[in-house]
Amino acid sequence: QEQLVESGGGSFQAGGSLRLSCAASAYPVSPYVYMAWFRQAPGKDREAVAVMARTNQKSYYADSVKGRATISQDNAKKTLYLQMNNLKPEDSAMYYCAAGPTSGYDWYDPRRFNAWGQGTQVTVSS
């Protein structure tokens, strides 16, 4: 089982930027070919923010963050990143790193992923 640890959360101002990191104990490893960032606000469902296929680095983004977010990786550092600009108060949530194998689920479905970090809190104030 892959071990994932998120960092980089905190308090931010609207219009600012953040960069979250996800360190893996063994990165990359098979069969975890998909890496993702999810977020969950109190009382809300967990939603996919960005997903990347490590095999070809093809990425997918939620409509709410398109044009503002970039998911990337550094294999040498065994780290996944989420860069997000022009932060909005509605971006406030607990952000989770996740990993999973190929499956029949859609790219945004959390059921696709079977390794999760503990999360890092992001709070955006206006």
Side-chain angles (χ1 to χ4, degrees), residues 81-102:
Y81 301 100
L82 178 68
Q83 175 74 38
M84 196 153 67
N85 306 316
N86 192 24
L87 294 172
K88 306 176 185 297
E90 48 264 45
D91 292 323
S92 297
M94 183 72 76
Y95 282 70
Y96 299 91
C97 178
T102 56

Side-chain angles (χ1 to χ4, degrees), residues 34-41 44-52 59-66 68-69 71 82 84 90-91 93-99 105-113 116:
Y34 289 92
M35 298 292 292
W37 288 97
F38 282 77
R39 66 186 182 187
Q40 187 169 27
K44 305 293 184 180
D45 292 330
R46 186 168 298 189
E47 63 175 352
V49 177
V51 177
M52 179 183 69
S59 59
Y60 306 85
Y61 296 93
D63 288 340
S64 59
V65 303
K66 284 182 178 178
R68 300 191 296 124
I71 186 171
L82 178 68
M84 196 153 67
E90 48 264 45
D91 292 323
M94 183 72 76
Y95 282 70
Y96 299 91
C97 178
Y105 295 113
D106 290 323
W107 68 268
Y108 53 80
D109 198 323
R111 293 175 294 178
R112 187 187 196 101
F113 303 91
W116 296 84

Side-chain angles (χ1 to χ4, degrees), residues 1-70:
Q1 187 86 342
E2 183 68 277
Q3 299 296 311
L4 307 173
V5 180
E6 304 95 335
S7 63
S11 298
F12 304 86
Q13 291 296 119
S17 300
L18 62 76
R19 193 187 198 198
L20 304 181
S21 299
C22 172
S25 60
Y27 185 104
V29 296
S30 61
Y32 298 110
V33 299
Y34 289 92
M35 298 292 292
W37 288 97
F38 282 77
R39 66 186 182 187
Q40 187 169 27
K44 305 293 184 180
D45 292 330
R46 186 168 298 189
E47 63 175 352
V49 177
V51 177
M52 179 183 69
R54 298 206 304 244
T55 52
N56 57 12
Q57 295 192 31
K58 184 175 182 179
S59 59
Y60 306 85
Y61 296 93
D63 288 340
S64 59
V65 303
K66 284 182 178 178
R68 300 191 296 124
T70 301

